[in-house]
């Protein structure tokens, strides 16, 4: 035996001595202990001082555990301990490409639902396989999108579906549900969903409902015809017998500000007759969407070539401009100053400018006609994503106070520093807790936490999630009620939320002392029927 191997043997002996000496940590009773915190359990009950013990990805016990052995102890003195937040309205469809989902988890979100506004993966099984193979930091569920299914069967045709086409679409929705989608989503302001009639949506929602899924809708109208749109959405749930989620409820036309009172009354009336309808909301007075949504929907049929043909034909273009002007007047608007460019890849120097400023910059004049001409040029160069300042504080607050309205970001997985996204993608939950709970006293903290946890968990039937309760999944968000808040703004959107030092997903620490640990403990949450 040489000197080197003797030395190695000695090292192994020393190492095993050290391990024996630390036997309490070799087989600790718990994986994680969260000590000395104030527990807001997600049910809406008042906060209570308590400790949380976690083992095997689940909450093992809630009580007093000072002195118990654990692989990691989180000192939550002075902090709130809540269930991980559940964001049921996201566009996190490409999470496999950005698996750390840092913008979500750093604002306390531990589960997301993707596939909203009618857009999702078409092959849900394939999407789940890709996610499971690479791993993700947070839990992931998806809806199957109507626009995705309709586009696969009918392209962007502007007409009702034939019986054969509807049958094909139904089979695609059925397959997605069998593969684990948690419901069916529509985006009725977008192409091609906007061309669908009521019976088509009803039939497809019924397929999802029969498999235990929810019907989630970005409605046909969110302003001038808000009440009709809410009624249409509720009617689908009532007839197809499925739970209903009204997505990003808002009033997006100044002439209709205040209409949230009537929209919420419709929800209350439907619930009173047994329709299980809820809504979600992001906590901002500006929306985020495409530039195309400002154009009449018939202009967008058939893809970029057909759009360009219409915009380049002088007669058609003047007709389009007239309709665009009418659409503005209908909403109580006189120009496009409310519309701010978020991301325009053909000329990023326009990012952050309103369409009025864009017109001034590219045409040297900012009349309404110049604004329309600038918008036309941008559409001819592939369009842009936009931020629209169209809502009132009163409506946002009234909607937020309603007990059946949850908190959801409407965000994608964001890459830090990339583009000019809506700040809700970094700040939404933190903004509710900081701005609306702490500063404006809109509701008690336990009510805000309930809206972020048990309310969506129960509606989307995420079993044993959404509450801090023994046996439940250990998705936990630890935040400082005195400092939690959003740092992202429309001007500087890339800023992580503040005051959220710890986030655990399935019992694994993903955020520690405010930093992402790189852990990927997230799971795919498939619908209860297929599990
Ligand atoms: Zn939407």
């Amino acid at each position: 035996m040489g000197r080197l191997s003797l030395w190695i043997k000695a090292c192994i002996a020393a190492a095993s001595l050290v391990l024996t000496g630390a036997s309490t940590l070799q087989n600790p009773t718990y994986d994680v202990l969260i000590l000395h915190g104030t527990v807001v359990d997600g049910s809406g009950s008042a906060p209570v001082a308590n400790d949380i013990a976690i083992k095997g990805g689940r909450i093992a016990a809630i009580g007093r555990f000072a002195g118990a052995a654990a692989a990691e102890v989180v000192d939550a003195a002075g902090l709130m301990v809540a269930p991980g937040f559940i964001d049921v309205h996201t566009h996190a469809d490409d999470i496999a490409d950005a698996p750390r989902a840092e913008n979500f988890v750093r604002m306390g979100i531990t589960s997301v639902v993707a596939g909203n506004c009618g857009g999702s993966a078409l092959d849900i099984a394939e999407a789940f396989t890709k996610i499971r193979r690479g791993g993700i930091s947070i839990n992931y569920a998806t809806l199957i999108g109507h626009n995705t299914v309709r586009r696969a069967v009918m392209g962007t045709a502007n007409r009702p579906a034939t019986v054969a086409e509807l049958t094909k679409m139904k089979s695609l929705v059925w397959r997605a549900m069998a593969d684990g989608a948690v419901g069916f989503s529509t985006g009725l302001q977008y192409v091609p969903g906007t061309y669908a009639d009521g019976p088509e949506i009803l039939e497809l929602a019924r397929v999802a409902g029969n498999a235990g899924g929810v019907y989630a809708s970005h409605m046909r109208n969110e302003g001038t015809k808000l009440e009709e749109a809410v009624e249409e959405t509720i009617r689908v749930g009532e007839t197809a017998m499925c739970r209903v989620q009204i997505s990003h409820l808002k009033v997006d036309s100044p002439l209709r500000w205040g209409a949230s009172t009537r929209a919420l009354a419709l929800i209350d009336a439907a619930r009173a007759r047994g329709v299980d309808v809820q809504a979600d909301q992001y906590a901002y007075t500006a929306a985020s969407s495409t530039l195309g949504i400002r154009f009449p929907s018939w202009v967008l049929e058939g893809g970029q070539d057909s759009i360009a043909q219409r915009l380049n034909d002088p007669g058609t273009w003047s007709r389009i401009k007239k309709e665009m002007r009418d659409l503005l007047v209908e909403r109580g608007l006189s120009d496009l100053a409310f519309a701010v460019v978020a991301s325009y890849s053909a000329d990023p120097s326009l990012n952050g400018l309103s369409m009025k400023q864009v017109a001034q910059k590219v045409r040297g004049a900012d009349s309404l006609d110049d604004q329309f001409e600038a918008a036309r040029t941008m559409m001819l160069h592939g369009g842009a994503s936009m931020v629209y300042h169209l809502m009132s504080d009163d409506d946002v607050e009234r909607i937020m106070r309603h007990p059946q309205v949850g908190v959801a970001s409407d965000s994608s997985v964001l890459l830090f520093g990339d583009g000019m996204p809506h700040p809700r993608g970094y700040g939404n939950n933190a903004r509710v807790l900081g701005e609306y709970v702490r500063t404006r006293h809109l509701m008690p903290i336990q009510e805000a936490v309930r809206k972020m946890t048990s309310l969506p968990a129960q509606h989307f039937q995420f079993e044993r999630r959404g509450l801090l309760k023994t046996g439940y999944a250990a998705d936990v968000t630890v935040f400082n009620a005195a400092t939690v808040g959003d740092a992202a703004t429309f001007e500087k959107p890339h800023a992580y939320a503040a005051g959220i030092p710890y986030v655990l997903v399935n019992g694994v620490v993903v955020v520690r002392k405010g930093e992402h640990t790189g852990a990927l403990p997230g799971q795919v949450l498939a619908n209860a029927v297929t599990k």
Side-chain angles (χ1 to χ4, degrees):
M1 190 180 285
R3 280 174 64 193
L4 183 64
S5 55
L6 267 177
W7 182 81
I8 290 170
K9 268 190 134 183
C11 283
I12 292 168
S16 52
L17 270 177
V18 171
L19 285 175
T20 317
S23 64
T24 47
L25 284 179
Q26 232 179 355
N27 284 306
T29 316
Y30 300 113
D31 300 334
V32 183
L33 280 174
I34 303 173
L35 300 181
H36 318 305
T38 301
V39 172
V40 199
D41 70 0
S43 69
S45 305
V48 178
N50 237 335
D51 302 333
I52 306 271
I54 292 164
K55 191 170 177 68
R58 301 214 161 258
I59 294 169
I62 300 174
R64 284 301 186 198
F65 305 100
E72 176 161 3
V73 174
V74 172
D75 182 6
L79 302 174
M80 294 281 180
V81 182
F85 305 150
I86 297 171
D87 188 341
V88 297
H89 191 89
T90 80
H91 297 282
D93 301 85
D94 49 4
I95 196 167
D97 300 327
R100 291 159 64 110
E102 202 149 352
N103 59 305
F104 287 110
V105 73
R106 286 181 63 164
M107 63 168 148
I109 291 167
T110 56
S111 299
V112 289
V113 178
N116 275 287
C117 304
S120 70
L122 183 61
D123 187 337
I124 302 296
E126 185 185 73
F128 283 175
T129 302
K130 192 175 170 198
I131 287 168
R132 286 191 176 111
R133 196 179 296 135
I136 47 173
S137 286
I138 58 177
N139 304 309
Y140 177 89
T142 188
L143 302 155
I144 176 71
H146 172 232
N147 290 355
T148 300
V149 165
R150 194 179 216 266
R151 196 182 296 272
V153 174
M154 303 174 59
T156 57
N158 180 1
R159 58 171 172 78
T162 64
V163 172
E165 286 164 343
L166 184 56
T167 306
K168 262 190 208 160
M169 287 193 265
K170 282 163 78 172
S171 73
L172 288 174
V173 172
W174 182 87
R175 192 185 72 185
M177 293 304 297
D179 287 342
V182 292
F184 171 67
S185 80
T186 51
L188 299 176
Q189 276 187 313
Y190 296 117
V191 171
T194 189
Y195 306 136
D197 57 13
E200 172 180 329
I201 293 156
L202 179 62
E203 282 303 301
L204 298 175
R206 196 194 301 278
V207 174
N210 285 345
V214 69
Y215 170 56
S217 183
H218 172 147
M219 301 184 296
R220 234 176 253 285
N221 190 289
E222 299 185 314
T224 51
K225 293 179 184 139
L226 175 68
E227 293 90 329
E228 290 96 309
V230 170
E231 277 168 351
E232 177 188 8
T233 311
I234 288 171
R235 203 177 314 124
V236 171
E238 196 155 24
T239 318
M241 310 251 282
C242 56
R243 306 186 308 289
V244 175
Q245 183 78 12
I246 296 176
S247 301
H248 42 59
L249 183 59
K250 64 170 85 72
V251 185
D252 74 356
S253 303
L255 259 187
R256 298 300 323 284
W257 283 355
S260 56
T261 305
R262 289 181 292 278
L264 293 167
L266 288 169
I267 292 175
D268 289 334
R271 292 189 63 83
R273 50 177 203 272
V275 189
D276 190 357
V277 52
Q278 293 186 3
D280 55 69
Q281 176 200 35
Y282 50 81
Y284 297 80
T285 51
S288 174
S289 194
T290 58
L291 179 61
I293 207 167
R294 296 269 77 84
F295 288 73
S297 66
W298 59 265
V299 176
L300 308 174
E301 190 192 351
Q304 187 63 24
D305 286 352
S306 324
I307 295 171
Q309 227 168 38
R310 293 179 193 112
L311 295 176
N312 284 327
D313 178 75
T316 315
W317 172 233
S318 52
R319 187 180 143 209
I320 293 169
K321 277 199 284 193
K322 189 191 171 305
E323 285 191 30
M324 287 173 78
R325 196 171 297 120
D326 292 346
L327 285 170
L328 288 178
V329 171
E330 203 178 68
R331 288 163 172 258
L333 297 159
S334 55
D335 63 19
L336 292 173
F338 69 92
V340 176
V341 181
S343 178
Y344 176 49
S345 52
D347 180 3
S349 77
L350 302 185
N351 296 354
L353 301 184
S354 77
M355 284 308 296
K356 207 170 167 176
Q357 293 167 321
V358 168
Q360 186 65 47
K361 183 169 178 191
V362 301
R363 299 178 58 83
D366 66 359
S367 72
L368 183 58
D369 198 64
D370 286 300
Q371 296 173 39
F372 286 156
E373 291 296 337
R376 172 180 168 275
T377 306
M378 290 168 72
M379 283 303 285
L380 287 171
H381 289 89
S385 62
M386 306 288 294
V387 170
Y388 294 127
H389 296 267
L390 282 170
M391 294 171 244
S392 77
D393 254 335
D394 281 353
D395 283 314
V396 169
E397 291 191 358
R398 185 178 299 115
I399 292 167
M400 195 180 293
R401 272 194 302 263
H402 194 280
Q404 298 297 332
V405 177
V407 177
S409 71
D410 201 3
S411 178
S412 335
V413 185
L414 301 173
L415 296 177
F416 200 84
D418 191 19
M420 286 287 280
H422 193 298
R424 64 196 178 195
Y426 285 99
N428 192 48
N429 291 73
R431 181 170 167 79
V432 170
L433 296 170
E435 176 67 23
Y436 289 90
V437 173
R438 186 177 62 240
T439 306
R440 302 196 198 181
H441 304 289
L442 201 71
M443 62 191 143
I445 200 150
Q446 59 266 31
E447 174 64 358
V449 169
R450 183 187 70 83
K451 285 162 159 283
M452 298 176 186
T453 57
S454 68
L455 183 78
Q458 285 159 16
H459 202 53
F460 280 70
Q461 298 187 343
F462 294 139
E463 266 175 54
R464 295 207 277 177
R465 293 189 194 269
L467 290 171
L468 292 179
K469 202 170 166 183
T470 302
Y472 272 52
D475 297 340
V476 185
T477 291
V478 179
F479 65 92
N480 185 334
T483 62
V484 66
D486 57 316
T489 61
F490 287 97
E491 292 74 29
K492 289 191 175 151
H494 294 282
Y496 292 116
I500 304 180
Y502 284 89
V503 181
L504 286 79
V505 177
N506 298 311
V508 177
V509 180
V510 174
V511 174
R512 180 184 287 121
K513 296 182 179 166
E515 294 297 326
H516 200 293
T517 62
L520 303 173
Q523 295 173 5
V524 165
L525 307 179
N527 99 50
V529 176
T530 52
K531 256 189 302 214

